[in-house]
Every structure is written in structure tokens, then in C-alpha cells.
Amino acid sequence: MPKPDLTLLIGPTEKSAMRFRALLKEKAGPLAKKGILAPEWNHVRLYTACAEADAISMLRYRRGLDNPLVQQTLTAEFISRFEKELPQMDGKHVVMAAAQLGNLLNAPSEIARLHKLLTPYFDRIRIVAHVDEQARLLTQHYSFAILEGRHTPLDQEITLAGQSDWWAGALAMRGKTAPCTGFLTIFMRHRFGWITKPF
């Protein structure tokens, strides 16, 4: 049986991801007729399965996922879910909205863990990151990000604010992700258009 494609919607905030999930649920019928499915997999548990075991964020603490052993448990849970549910799905494309994969999952080892978990079960994997003008988004989102588990200061954002080209600086600061070369393509959507970069 051929593997389905996967699209992950990862930004810019959990509020927007919730809107995506609600829309995908509302349009589930018409989408299914086109072979597009949006299973209600728990996005926080997926993030936790890929996060560093000892990186206990406020989000993980509040959800009762603060035991370092939970990473192994949730990885096994998703492997079992994929192996059981995907063959039963009558669709060629799976879509999932998970903001935490964008704003909390960023270490190369975490991305590699996500890669290892997903690639056996999906063919083409795309990440669509909807991004906003950063100064405006920062004022709206920073306090929420702290409550959700952000544990870094604003040094990076302040440094980027002084760059002549914010987007080029942000992509350069992201650095190399060699363990996952060829894993996916990331599509960034902002008010000026699309940026497409190999991840």
C-alpha cells in the first residue's frame, strides 16, 4: 500500500493552529472526497514525543507530560497509531496543525527525532509555516509563549531587528540541519508572499 503524503501546519501561534484544526474538522467531508484527511491526533503529545526528554516546558508540566520517560512512551504510541490507523485510512494526503512543532521544537536532535518518527509512514512531507510581521507578532504572542513553555530571552529577536533583511537573517540564524537533509521542504507564508526552502 502506498504511503500518504503529510502536510504539517506549524504557525504562527497555537491560536491560529486551533483555527486550522476547527476548519479541517468542519470541512472533513469535502476534503475526504478529495483524498485529504485530518485525523485528530494529539499535537501536544506528538511534540512531546520528539522534544528532548529533559526539556520540561510549562506546557508539558501542565499537561502531565513532565516525566522524562514519557518521550519513549509517546514515541511508541505514535508508531502504534500510525501502523494501525494509516492502512485503514482511505486517503492520499494527511494534514495536521501543530504549532508546537514550530515554536517549541527547534534543536537539531529534536528535528531528527521527528524525522525518524514520520518518514517510515509518510511519502512526501511538507511543513507550511504561516508567519507574521515579527514586531507585531511579538507583542501579541510573547506572554502566551512564556506560559506555553518558551524558555529563552528576546536576545535573538532583538538581534534580528537590527538586520537589513529580517527574513534572510532569520533563515541564516536557523543554521544547518544536516541530520534531516532531504527530509522535507518548508514553505513560509507571510504578507509579502511565499518563501520556499529545503529543510
Side-chain angles (χ1 to χ4, degrees), residues 24-25 31 36-41 93-96:
L24 289 168
K25 186 174 183 178
L31 288 172
I36 302 171
L37 303 176
E40 295 186 17
W41 295 330
H93 198 134
V94 173
V95 180
M96 185 176 186

Side-chain angles (χ1 to χ4, degrees), residues 8 46 50 105 110-118 183:
L8 292 173
L46 178 60
C50 301
L105 205 68
E110 295 173 324
I111 303 300
R113 201 170 289 119
L114 180 66
H115 164 253
K116 184 178 179 180
L117 179 59
L118 296 179
F183 165 41

Side-chain angles (χ1 to χ4, degrees), residues 132-142 154 157 160-161 166-167 191:
D132 199 352
E133 196 282 317
Q134 295 303 296
R136 178 172 62 246
L137 181 63
L138 181 63
T139 59
Q140 299 172 353
H141 184 63
Y142 186 63
L154 290 173
E157 286 84 352
L160 285 171
W166 192 98
W167 296 106
R191 62 190 177 125

Side-chain angles (χ1 to χ4, degrees), residues 3 9 12 16-17 19 21 26 33 55 71 74 102-103 120 123 143 153 162 174 184 188 196:
K3 296 186 291 186
L9 308 175
S16 61
R19 291 176 179 171
R21 289 194 293 272
E26 179 184 340
K33 292 179 180 179
Q71 181 200 88
L74 292 180
N103 55 36
D123 187 12
S143 60
R174 186 186 70 188
L184 49 83
M188 300 177 68
T196 304

Side-chain angles (χ1 to χ4, degrees), residues 153-175:
L154 290 173
D155 296 351
Q156 177 174 274
E157 286 84 352
I158 292 171
T159 299
L160 285 171
Q163 304 246 351
S164 58
D165 186 332
W166 192 98
W167 296 106
L171 291 172
M173 189 173 288
R174 186 186 70 188

Side-chain angles (χ1 to χ4, degrees), residues 10 127-129 174 184-188 195-199:
I10 66 168
I127 289 190
V128 178
R174 186 186 70 188
L184 49 83
T185 299
I186 183 167
F187 296 84
M188 300 177 68
I195 301 174
T196 304
K197 290 284 182 178
F199 196 83

Side-chain angles (χ1 to χ4, degrees), residues 32-121:
K33 292 179 180 179
K34 297 181 180 295
I36 302 171
L37 303 176
E40 295 186 17
W41 295 330
N42 189 295
H43 53 286
V44 175
R45 295 173 77 83
L46 178 60
Y47 146 70
T48 305
C50 301
E52 294 295 342
D54 57 354
I56 309 300
S57 64
M58 182 61 68
L59 173 64
R60 287 178 58 182
Y61 176 77
R62 291 201 326 235
R63 298 292 183 92
L65 301 172
D66 51 339
N67 188 320
L69 296 177
V70 78
Q71 181 200 88
Q72 298 178 20
T73 302
L74 292 180
T75 298
E77 174 186 303
F78 273 95
I79 290 174
S80 176
R81 183 181 293 275
F82 292 154
E83 291 180 348
K84 179 181 179 181
E85 296 182 11
L86 287 175
Q88 301 175 3
M89 291 182 178
D90 186 20
K92 299 179 180 179
H93 198 134
V94 173
V95 180
M96 185 176 186
Q100 291 81 12
L101 299 184
N103 55 36
L104 293 179
L105 205 68
N106 47 56
S109 58
E110 295 173 324
I111 303 300
R113 201 170 289 119
L114 180 66
H115 164 253
K116 184 178 179 180
L117 179 59
L118 296 179
T119 49
Y121 305 102

